[in-house]
Amino acid sequence: MLELHVWGPAFGLPSIDAHCLAAIAYLQQAVPRGKWQLIACSDPGLSPSNTLPALRNGDIWIGGFRNIFHYVAQFSAGEWILDAGLPEQESADCIAFSSFVESHGQPLLDLSLYVSSQNYTNTTRPLYNKIQPFPLPYLTPPSLRASAKLRTSHLGLSSLDIDTDGPPPTEPSIIPTSLRRPKITLSSLLAASPETSAQIRLSALATSFFEPLHDLRRKKAFFVSDTQFSSLDCLALGYLALMLVPDLPQPWLSRTMRENFPGLCAWTEELCRTVFGKEKVTLEDAFLGSASASQGKEAELDVRLKRLRGRDHLPWRPPYNRGVVDVGGVFLSGVMESVPVLGGLGRSTRMRSHSGAKMAEEEGQGSSSSWKFLGLVGSVIVGLGMGVGYLLHQGVISIPGEEPELQTQTERPSDMGHLGEALGFYGNQTDMMAQRQRAMESEPHGEPVVEVEVGGGIVRSTETVS
């Protein structure tokens, strides 16, 4: 039984991710019913490439839409292939436009769902609180948004990141309310003036994506064929559905699509009903199994599942019930991914082979590989500790707030040559005079000290005065 793991549902669609929607559409059309199951795990760590969608077949994990497409063809010995039988020109168009959809459609979704502060804060980020267990929503949305900003940095639309109004002023204003002018932000510009440079730029980007797809499909039932559903239709459906269906505070993408390309809108809405079901997908559809079992509602679950199967619904299966330890491990691994060195080591050890022969070899090495990774991380930490300790011992670095040790050894004046010897003789004479002065001060007043210098020595005599 094949298991397709995807991001959870959102906006009435089976997933919040375009590639997950494409993979669902592909398996729904290519793989016979009863041969695969759909699981909204929302955990990219299950995939060998740390991405969703991920297809599981026993111990084999395949990550990414393209890899899933090729694996399904290999697994079925060429039987479950949507593009089989396409003429040469249509097959070439399918490959070329699939790359076009990915390269031009992803930046548009990034700008609409993640880069735009208003859309991200009010709509996108709250959705992850529903499809992921605590505390993963504190880590996943910011990471996805950072990746989206990086992918769209070349477009010059980073101003979308500040399109929310600032906090209201706390200080009273001397300007009357009737004479005040509202603060101009990108949100107000997009809503009030379609002629702004930002709106023109966004509309141009959207048009450059929709227009080639519109010209390719024209009046055909599908993009490259009038009778055959292809992998390009799956991929285009995933992207177009997330551009059209979501109800966002800044709906510039869906507005452009509805106003200028109604044919694509009608095609997307019709295919969503055909592939994903006539009714909107809810969180209960994806997670009802685990919720009902935990609450003891097995009878209600059976009735609902029968109803869903009767209307040819998607083959949902409840996600695995992961404990607190597993969720905490996923959270810590996500934190470790942000560390440059440890993140690369973690990703390299997570990569697994997709062939059966290599997987058989790894079955006996699975437990040892994890220990090797832990040993490697421990070695790195011990090495860094030894290096820092050596630098502290040599005095190259010091602990903040610690006083440097005083030098215990002093240089002798004789080590400085003739000048040092002269300075040393002068210093000795000074010390002798200081000693004599202290001796005179320590004697009682009734015993004056008289010193007489005879020849080369000093004769000291003491006379007591009564």
Side-chain angles (χ1 to χ4, degrees):
M1 178 69 70
L2 299 177
E3 297 179 359
L4 181 62
H5 295 255
V6 297
W7 287 103
F11 311 116
L13 299 172
S15 178
I16 197 175
D17 180 75
H19 281 190
C20 291
L21 292 175
I24 294 172
Y26 190 92
L27 267 67
Q28 181 79 335
Q29 297 298 313
V31 181
R33 192 169 186 84
K35 299 291 185 180
W36 70 287
Q37 295 176 332
L38 182 59
I39 302 175
C41 68
S42 301
D43 182 8
L46 295 175
S47 170
S49 58
N50 198 32
T51 58
L52 290 177
L55 185 69
R56 180 187 179 187
N57 182 23
D59 295 330
I60 302 177
W61 286 90
I62 310 297
F65 172 72
R66 289 292 174 187
N67 295 331
I68 292 175
F69 167 82
H70 293 295
Y71 179 80
V72 168
Q74 179 184 359
F75 176 77
S76 63
E79 182 180 356
W80 301 340
I81 302 179
L82 292 181
D83 299 340
L86 286 176
E88 183 178 355
Q89 181 61 41
E90 294 179 357
S91 180
D93 290 341
C94 184
I95 297 175
F97 276 90
S98 295
S99 300
F100 169 81
V101 169
E102 289 182 302
S103 60
H104 290 73
Q106 189 61 51
L108 290 175
L109 288 181
D110 290 337
L111 290 172
S112 177
L113 296 178
Y114 296 96
V115 178
S116 174
S117 295
Q118 207 166 11
N119 293 346
Y120 171 78
T121 303
N122 298 333
T123 305
T124 306
R125 181 163 187 168
L127 289 174
Y128 284 91
N129 296 329
K130 301 178 181 179
I131 64 177
Q132 279 193 314
F134 176 85
L136 298 183
Y138 287 95
L139 184 65
T140 302
S143 176
L144 294 176
R145 194 187 192 204
S147 300
K149 290 181 181 180
L150 184 62
R151 288 192 296 264
T152 58
S153 59
H154 66 284
L155 298 176
L157 290 169
S158 58
S159 57
L160 287 175
D161 189 20
I162 54 173
D163 61 353
T164 55
D165 294 334
T170 57
E171 298 180 358
S173 176
I174 61 175
I175 303 177
T177 306
S178 58
L179 299 179
R180 296 178 190 174
R181 298 183 59 184
K183 181 180 178 181
I184 299 177
T185 62
L186 186 57
S187 298
S188 59
L189 289 176
L190 290 176
S193 178
E195 290 79 14
T196 59
S197 59
Q199 178 65 48
I200 293 174
R201 179 62 173 158
L202 292 173
S203 298
L205 287 174
T207 302
S208 64
F209 174 74
F210 294 134
E211 192 170 17
L213 295 179
H214 177 268
D215 295 340
L216 177 66
R217 194 185 73 87
R218 293 189 182 276
K219 296 183 179 181
K220 298 192 297 290
F222 307 106
F223 278 103
V224 296
S225 175
D226 196 25
T227 58
Q228 185 173 351
F229 195 85
S230 65
S231 60
L232 172 60
D233 296 290
C234 298
L235 196 61
L237 178 62
Y239 279 93
L240 293 176
L242 284 178
M243 295 178 181
L244 177 66
V245 175
D247 185 13
L248 302 174
Q250 289 291 335
W252 56 270
L253 190 55
S254 61
R255 185 192 305 122
T256 303
M257 187 175 178
R258 294 183 185 277
E259 292 178 354
N260 301 329
F261 303 94
L264 285 180
C265 296
W267 181 88
T268 302
E269 292 173 348
E270 180 181 357
L271 219 60
C272 282
R273 291 191 295 267
T274 303
V275 176
F276 301 140
K278 295 181 180 180
E279 297 185 13
K280 294 184 178 181
V281 179
T282 63
L283 294 173
E284 288 75 15
D285 294 333
F287 303 113
L288 179 63
S290 58
S292 298
S294 61
Q295 299 174 5
K297 299 180 180 179
E298 291 82 0
E300 179 183 351
L301 172 62
D302 293 338
V303 172
R304 183 172 178 83
L305 290 179
K306 290 179 181 179
R307 182 170 62 87
L308 295 179
R309 295 190 185 100
R311 72 182 188 193
D312 197 25
H313 197 270
L314 295 173
W316 288 106
R317 173 188 156 182
Y320 299 113
N321 188 12
R322 309 187 67 177
V324 178
V325 176
D326 292 338
V327 175
V330 174
F331 180 77
L332 292 178
S333 64
V335 174
M336 191 178 65
E337 290 288 340
S338 60
V339 181
V341 177
L342 298 181
L345 294 175
R347 286 187 292 269
S348 63
T349 55
R350 190 170 49 243
M351 296 301 295
R352 280 165 275 186
S353 173
H354 305 325
S355 62
K358 291 185 179 180
M359 182 58 67
E361 296 178 0
E362 291 181 359
E363 287 180 357
Q365 300 177 357
S367 59
S368 60
S369 61
S370 60
W371 286 107
K372 289 180 181 179
F373 172 68
L374 293 176
L376 183 58
V377 173
S379 301
V380 171
I381 295 175
V382 172
L384 292 175
M386 293 177 63
V388 173
Y390 176 78
L391 295 177
L392 287 172
H393 179 71
Q394 295 296 325
V396 178
I397 59 177
S398 60
I399 301 177
E402 183 181 359
E403 301 256 338
E405 295 184 359
L406 297 175
Q407 188 173 359
T408 57
Q409 296 182 354
T410 57
E411 296 183 352
R412 295 177 298 177
S414 58
D415 296 337
M416 303 174 61
H418 298 289
L419 179 60
E421 293 179 357
L423 293 175
F425 176 77
Y426 176 76
N428 293 335
Q429 294 295 326
T430 304
D431 292 340
M432 292 176 62
M433 295 177 62
Q435 292 177 2
R436 288 197 297 267
Q437 182 67 25
R438 286 195 295 270
M440 293 174 62
E441 293 176 354
S442 62
E443 294 292 341
H445 296 288
E447 297 179 356
V449 179
V450 179
E451 295 181 354
V452 180
E453 183 176 356
V454 179
I458 296 178
V459 179
R460 183 179 182 210
S461 61
T462 304
E463 183 178 356
T464 305
V465 181
S466 60

